[in-house]
Amino acid sequence: MDRVGETTTATLEPAVRPHALLGEQYADLEQQHHAATTGMWVFLATEVMFFGTLFVALSVYRYWYGEAFERTSERLNWQIGCINTLVLLVSSFTIVMAVRYAQLGRRKPVVRCLGLTAALGLLFLVFKGIEYYLDYRESLIPDWKFDPQEWTAEFGLAADQVPQVKLFLTFYWIMTLFHALHVTIGICAVLVMMLLAARGRFSPEYYSPVEVTALYWHFVDIVWIFLLPMLYLLGTHSLERWKL
């Protein structure tokens, strides 16, 4: 009786695990990779709905309060915004290279590219911090450091347009702060991947965590690509300004 029970148990257990990092619930690494990628896409879909709602709301209010929004956009530091765009675009390239090197099983280049990506993310946050400090000095923080008289006396807006200025600045702070939070989370994820890569965790057969992290990083970059024109360049492309 005991021998029969032992034989049954042995039959139910897999003889050999094909890979040490294969989850028990998956048949093979390809299925695990597909599940991880699908999960990230579902998560990013929720992020698209979150940021998409903010973008749509900003567009609607920009249509209603065009003059006030454009005047306020002119006060933002578009130079730092453009520099940060370049920083994130380069970081997208470095993380793409990290995924490629992971596919090839080249550990050191993976670690190097992930380190560069994290460093560029930190550089983005440094520039963002400088920009926020300049915004503070320029009194561009609604309900904290904001001078209504400045907008009517120096920038020619009517008194009833000042709330519209504050509305645009509220959008600016909410959207850029949430984006900076996502960049911070992305940096943490990239650093974890770099640590795992340094320990030889990835191989040509198993690199899905690096690829999934890269998907998240690209999403953060794309959100910024939309933020740049809708916040920083809003006052530079109006038809009235260019007299068209």
Side-chain angles (χ1 to χ4, degrees):
M1 185 67 182
D2 291 339
R3 293 185 62 182
V4 172
E6 290 174 0
T7 303
T8 304
T9 303
T11 304
L12 292 175
E13 292 179 353
V16 179
R17 298 297 300 168
H19 196 284
L21 298 175
L22 178 64
E24 294 182 357
Q25 67 274 36
Y26 303 109
D28 50 39
L29 285 174
E30 184 179 355
Q31 186 184 56
Q32 180 170 290
H33 181 97
H34 179 71
T37 306
T38 303
M40 177 52 74
W41 278 114
V42 171
F43 170 71
L44 293 181
T46 65
E47 293 286 285
V48 168
M49 287 189 283
F50 173 73
F51 279 102
T53 301
L54 290 173
F55 280 124
V56 170
L58 176 62
S59 301
V60 171
Y61 281 114
R62 183 253 184 270
Y63 178 76
W64 286 343
Y65 310 133
E67 183 183 7
F69 272 37
E70 290 174 12
R71 292 289 180 83
T72 314
S73 174
E74 292 173 358
R75 298 286 306 278
L76 300 182
N77 198 316
W78 63 267
Q79 294 92 339
I80 293 181
C82 291
I83 292 172
N84 267 342
T85 302
L86 181 62
V87 169
L88 287 183
L89 288 176
V90 175
S91 73
S92 276
F93 172 75
T94 56
I95 203 164
V96 165
M97 294 307 298
V99 174
R100 181 55 183 160
Y101 284 128
Q103 291 173 334
L104 297 174
R106 298 179 61 182
R107 185 173 64 179
K108 288 185 178 179
V110 173
V111 174
R112 195 158 46 239
C113 287
L114 289 173
L116 281 172
T117 304
L120 289 168
L122 286 172
L123 182 60
F124 174 90
L125 292 179
V126 168
F127 277 119
K128 201 66 201 156
I130 294 172
E131 182 187 352
Y132 284 158
Y133 172 69
L134 295 175
D135 291 339
Y136 172 79
R137 292 185 57 182
E138 293 288 328
S139 300
L140 296 177
I141 308 178
D143 298 327
W144 185 26
K145 197 168 188 303
F146 185 83
D147 183 7
Q149 302 296 329
E150 182 182 28
W151 292 93
T152 54
E154 295 185 22
F155 298 101
L157 293 178
D160 60 354
Q161 288 180 304
V162 173
Q164 301 167 13
V165 171
K166 296 172 74 174
L167 178 63
F168 178 85
L169 290 174
T170 301
F171 272 112
Y172 163 74
W173 283 99
I174 290 176
M175 297 177 82
T176 57
L177 281 172
F178 269 109
H179 179 266
L181 174 63
H182 281 71
V183 172
T184 304
I185 294 172
I187 292 171
C188 295
V190 169
L191 288 175
V192 170
M193 291 302 109
M194 186 180 72
L195 181 62
L196 294 176
R199 294 179 176 178
R201 187 72 172 267
F202 305 120
S203 66
E205 295 78 26
Y206 179 74
Y207 59 88
S208 57
V210 180
E211 189 173 65
V212 168
T213 303
L215 276 177
Y216 176 83
W217 192 264
H218 291 316
F219 171 78
V220 172
D221 292 355
I222 291 171
V223 169
W224 182 259
I225 295 299
F226 280 93
L227 286 176
L228 179 70
M230 295 191 71
L231 291 177
Y232 294 86
L233 306 181
L234 192 62
T236 64
H237 56 257
S238 70
L239 297 180
E240 182 179 351
R241 186 179 184 82
W242 292 97
K243 301 183 184 304
L244 294 176

